Structures are given as C-alpha cells and as structure tokens.
C-alpha cells in the first residue's frame, strides 16, 4: 500500500481539478468546492464523469485507468469477498468506505451496486485520483 | 445547397478513404473547405493519388496508413489529427470489407475479417475520437451501413450481420452521446458503382437492377452527398437515423 495522501497534496491539485470539473459540467467555478458531490450536488451524469477524467488526463498529462478506484479499494480481498454479482459485500463496502474516506459515511448504502459507486464521488475523490496517477507516473 | 454548410475549417476523419465511396466522401468534404484526414489500409498509390489531386485543387487532405482493426493505430492517427488541427469535428466510419460465401462454406477467416473490420474497427476509431467530441460538446458521427443490414442477398450472412450491428451501434451511440450534443447517424447505400460491389453487380446483373426502383446503380458521390448533409449544420436536429441511399431498393 502506498503512503496516505496528504491534505497538502490534495490542495496542490485542487484549483486545476475544480476548474476541470466546472468546465465539464458547464458550471461557475464558484459553485464547485472540495466536498461537492459530483452527482448529487453538481448534477453530473455518467458521461460527465468521463469528460472530467479526459480533462484531468490532459490537464495533468496523466493516465487514469478505468476501474482503478474499485481495484484499489478491493486491495487484497478476492473478487468474491468484495462483490457478489456486481453487488458489494459487507466487507467490500467497508473497504470502499475506508478508501473513499472523503465521502460522508451515510452516503454508503448496504448492498450497493458497483456500477453506482461513481455516484459517491466528490471533487476531493477526483483530486485523490489525480495525486495517485501523478505518483504512479513518478511525477 | 442552402449556402454555407458550416463545414469550412472543420476537421474530418474518414476511414477507408482511398477508393470508392470513401474517396467520394473525402473529396466532397475537402471541396466544402474541411481539413480531411483519411485512413487507408493498403493501396498506397491510390491514397497518394487522392492527396495529390486534392492538393492540386488547393484542398487540405492528409492520408494515414492504418488498419482499423488495430486499436493502438487508430488512437495514434486520431492523436496526430488533433495535434495537427486541434480537434475532430466529424468522423465517417466508412471502411468495410466484403467476403461473400454461403454459410456452410464460410471460412473462419471470412467471418473474422468482416466482423473485425466492419464492426470492431468502427468501435476502435470511434472510441479514440469520442473523448475529444465529449469535451467540446460537439461532433457528428456518420457510419456507413448498407441495405444489406436490412435486406441482404445470398452469401452475405457475415456482411449483413456486420451492417445490422452498425445500425444497432448507431442508435445506441446516439442515445449515449445526445447529452453532449453529438449526433450519430448512418447512411445505408444500395448498389453503388465501386470496385467493391463489382462482383455483386456482375453476378446479379439485371435481376439486381429490377429490384431498384430507379433502375440504375448509385454513384459514390450520391452517397457522399448524404454523408456531408448529415455532417453539416443543416442536420443538427437529426440523430440515431439510418438514411437509405439506394434508389428505392426492393420497394416494388
């Protein structure tokens, strides 16, 4: 496991991430904050998440592999321990809650579908995604 | 047409642009003032000829040798095009192959070549282009289907299946990209006078002509007109459609 992401690392990338999110969602940057939830607060759709990722990849010259969050959150759990037919197990949900520590705990619902996980993402989730990708690229 | 098509200065990618219908599409977009990049797999001479003739008319046309079956090659062509022109405004998925044979005799290679070029190839290049259109909230995708997708002849199970897939792909992608104002349509040509359809025209002869309401084969440019229309500003409100350019095939 790599070292925990620090507040300073998140804050360093935040302005450019917030800008990318605002542009992708055609919103005023003032409407975006670190803890805005992309879907619930900023009314993103799934295609907007793709747009945000494309913009971040270009802005930071990084690669954000699809499905990386789920893979990282699963860690050393086997797929069967993590999910059952696309539904998160109790252990899987606990792992995800740890991994997405920036998401308020009451947003996680038991028997959540893996496909719905992106609806939890906040702007900080995207910042952490960028930091991890930059670390992976050795930047 | 009704004046300015809005295509001048737009960036267009056409697959299979060195011959037949693809070449006609390349030439018509170039004549409208678009910057056209076309892909070709083989036939360097034919591709060079398209570029040379365009240059002689003062048109901007670039040829890229790439096999649409290779996703990495598709991504590289798209990135070079974006580096050159800053965006991709229009994608025309035209490249396709025919390997007709009756089903029991159909070689595995004849099935895989058709499906990999006509279907997987369309996925490959479209996946490389779409991110650029999504971030710009604009774009037009036109897939070249065929009447065979709805009404095929004998020995065309593989080709018909590939074009039926393109029709379904067109509708599904139109749904997916509509929130970003990207339109996705298909043009389904009937029998058009190209080298690709020569065997079919020779084999079917008068029988084929008798099934065409207008009693003649189409010209490549007549297909290109429909494609350029769907890419133009005149078609901003059209998406998820399959436009038949077939002279009224089998309507009698």
């Amino acid at each position: 496991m790599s070292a925990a992401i620090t507040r300073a690392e998140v804050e360093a990338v935040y302005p450019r991430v917030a800008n990318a999110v605002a542009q992708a969602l055609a919103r005023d940057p003032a409407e975006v904050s670190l803890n805005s939830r992309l879907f619930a607060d900023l009314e993103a759709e799934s295609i907007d998440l793709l747009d945000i990722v494309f913009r971040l990849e270009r802005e930071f010259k990084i690669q954000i592999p699809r499905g990386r969050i789920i893979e990282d959150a699963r860690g050393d759990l086997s797929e069967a321990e993590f999910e059952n037919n696309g539904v998160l197990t109790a252990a899987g949900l606990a792992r995800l809650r740890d991994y997405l520590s920036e998401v308020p705990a009451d947003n996680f619902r038991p028997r959540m579908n893996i496909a719905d996980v992106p609806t939890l993402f906040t702007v900080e989730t995207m910042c952490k995604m960028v930091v991890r990708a930059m670390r992976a690229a050795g930047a | 047409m009704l004046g300015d098509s809005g295509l001048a200065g737009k960036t267009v990618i056409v697959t299979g642009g060195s011959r037949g219908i693809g070449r006609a599409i390349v030439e018509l977009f170039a004549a409208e003032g678009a910057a056209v990049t076309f892909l070709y797999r083989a036939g360097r001479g034919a591709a060079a000829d398209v570029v040379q003739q365009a240059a002689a008319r003062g048109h901007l046309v670039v040829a890229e040798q790439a096999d649409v079956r290779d996703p990495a090659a598709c991504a590289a062509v798209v990135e070079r095009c974006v580096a050159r022109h800053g965006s991709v405004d229009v994608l025309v998925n035209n490249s396709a192959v025919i390997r007709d044979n009756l089903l029991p005799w159909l070689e595995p290679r004849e099935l895989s070549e058709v499906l990999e070029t006509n279907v997987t190839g369309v996925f490959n290049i479209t996946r490389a282009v779409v991110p650029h259109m999504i971030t710009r909230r604009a774009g037009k995708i036109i897939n070249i289907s065929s009447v065979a997708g709805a009404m095929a002849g004998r020995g065309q199970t593989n080709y018909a299946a590939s074009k039926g897939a393109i029709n379904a792909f067109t509708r599904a992608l139109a749904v997916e990209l509509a929130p970003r104002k990207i339109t996705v349509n298909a043009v389904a040509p009937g029998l058009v006078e190209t080298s690709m359809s020569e065997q079919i025209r020779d084999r079917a002869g008068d029988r084929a002509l008798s099934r065409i309401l207008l009693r003649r084969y189409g010209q490549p440019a007549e297909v290109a007109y429909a494609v350029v229309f769907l890419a133009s500003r005149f078609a901003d409100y059209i998406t998820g459609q399959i436009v038949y350019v077939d002279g009224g095939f089998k309507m009698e």
Side-chain angles (χ1 to χ4, degrees), chain B residues 131-173:
Chain B
H132 297 285
M133 291 182 170
I134 285 177
T135 50
R136 294 182 57 249
R137 284 185 152 75
K140 297 225 158 88
I141 298 172
I142 297 115
N143 301 316
I144 305 303
S145 178
S146 164
V147 287
M151 301 171 280
R154 283 184 203 90
Q156 291 206 297
T157 51
N158 52 353
Y159 186 72
S162 77
K163 293 305 186 179
I166 288 308
N167 293 348
F169 173 83
T170 299
R171 296 188 198 100
L173 191 62

Side-chain angles (χ1 to χ4, degrees), chain A residues 53-104:
Chain A
V53 168
F54 297 143
R55 284 172 193 274
L56 294 176
E57 287 185 330
R58 231 174 295 166
E59 174 69 26
F60 291 93
K61 300 198 171 25
I62 51 173
Q63 287 290 317
I64 299 174
R66 316 293 174 247
R68 172 50 68 79
I69 284 204
I70 295 295
E71 218 172 281
D72 283 357
R74 182 162 70 89
D76 57 2
L77 284 186
S78 73
E79 260 182 60
E81 288 170 315
F82 189 75
E83 56 144 313
N84 182 13
N85 277 335
V87 176
L88 284 164
T89 62
L93 195 67
R95 279 290 175 94
L96 196 69
R97 202 180 288 136
D98 283 349
Y99 191 77
L100 297 176
S101 57
E102 68 280 3
V103 177

Side-chain angles (χ1 to χ4, degrees), chain A residues 18-138:
Chain A
N19 194 35
V21 169
Q23 278 185 0
L25 300 177
R27 282 181 175 271
D28 191 307
E31 292 177 82
V32 178
S33 70
L34 192 61
N35 54 17
S36 309
R37 289 170 300 170
L38 299 179
F39 287 72
D41 299 328
L42 299 175
E43 295 171 341
E45 296 179 32
S46 54
I47 202 163
D48 298 319
L49 187 62
L50 273 179
D51 190 355
I52 293 168
V53 168
F54 297 143
R55 284 172 193 274
L56 294 176
E57 287 185 330
R58 231 174 295 166
E59 174 69 26
F60 291 93
K61 300 198 171 25
I62 51 173
Q63 287 290 317
I64 299 174
R66 316 293 174 247
R68 172 50 68 79
I69 284 204
I70 295 295
E71 218 172 281
D72 283 357
R74 182 162 70 89
D76 57 2
L77 284 186
S78 73
E79 260 182 60
E81 288 170 315
F82 189 75
E83 56 144 313
N84 182 13
N85 277 335
V87 176
L88 284 164
T89 62
L93 195 67
R95 279 290 175 94
L96 196 69
R97 202 180 288 136
D98 283 349
Y99 191 77
L100 297 176
S101 57
E102 68 280 3
V103 177
D106 59 356
N107 282 221
F108 295 86
R109 298 180 311 279
R111 299 190 48 77
M112 239 186 113
N113 207 301
I114 283 202
D116 294 332
V117 168
T119 62
L120 299 169
F121 292 177
T122 68
V123 174
E124 186 169 353
T125 309
M126 307 315 284
C127 291
K128 287 165 70 175
M129 214 182 258
V130 168
V131 170
R132 284 193 198 97
M134 287 168 74
R135 282 183 179 178

Side-chain angles (χ1 to χ4, degrees), chain B residues 74-84 128 132:
Chain B
C74 288
V77 167
V78 171
E79 289 316 310
R80 279 196 294 275
C81 180
V82 170
R84 259 195 316 275
H132 297 285

Side-chain angles (χ1 to χ4, degrees), chain B residues 54-167:
Chain B
R57 295 191 192 99
H59 297 160
L60 182 54
V61 173
V62 175
E64 290 265 13
Q65 196 281 322
D67 189 332
V68 292
R69 292 176 293 183
D70 178 353
C74 288
V77 167
V78 171
E79 289 316 310
R80 279 196 294 275
C81 180
V82 170
R84 259 195 316 275
H85 306 295
S87 66
V88 181
D89 300 296
V90 178
L91 168 64
V92 182
N93 282 308
N94 167 74
S95 68
V97 294
I98 289 182
R99 300 284 182 271
D100 285 359
N101 210 340
L102 294 175
L103 185 75
W105 296 332
L106 200 62
E107 299 279 346
R109 186 180 46 80
E110 291 169 332
L111 177 59
S112 62
E113 280 182 8
V114 166
L115 294 183
E116 283 168 21
T117 304
N118 302 11
V119 183
T120 310
V122 171
F123 275 82
N124 289 340
I125 191 89
T126 309
R127 279 160 62 98
V129 166
V130 157
H132 297 285
M133 291 182 170
I134 285 177
T135 50
R136 294 182 57 249
R137 284 185 152 75
K140 297 225 158 88
I141 298 172
I142 297 115
N143 301 316
I144 305 303
S145 178
S146 164
V147 287
M151 301 171 280
R154 283 184 203 90
Q156 291 206 297
T157 51
N158 52 353
Y159 186 72
S162 77
K163 293 305 186 179
I166 288 308
N167 293 348

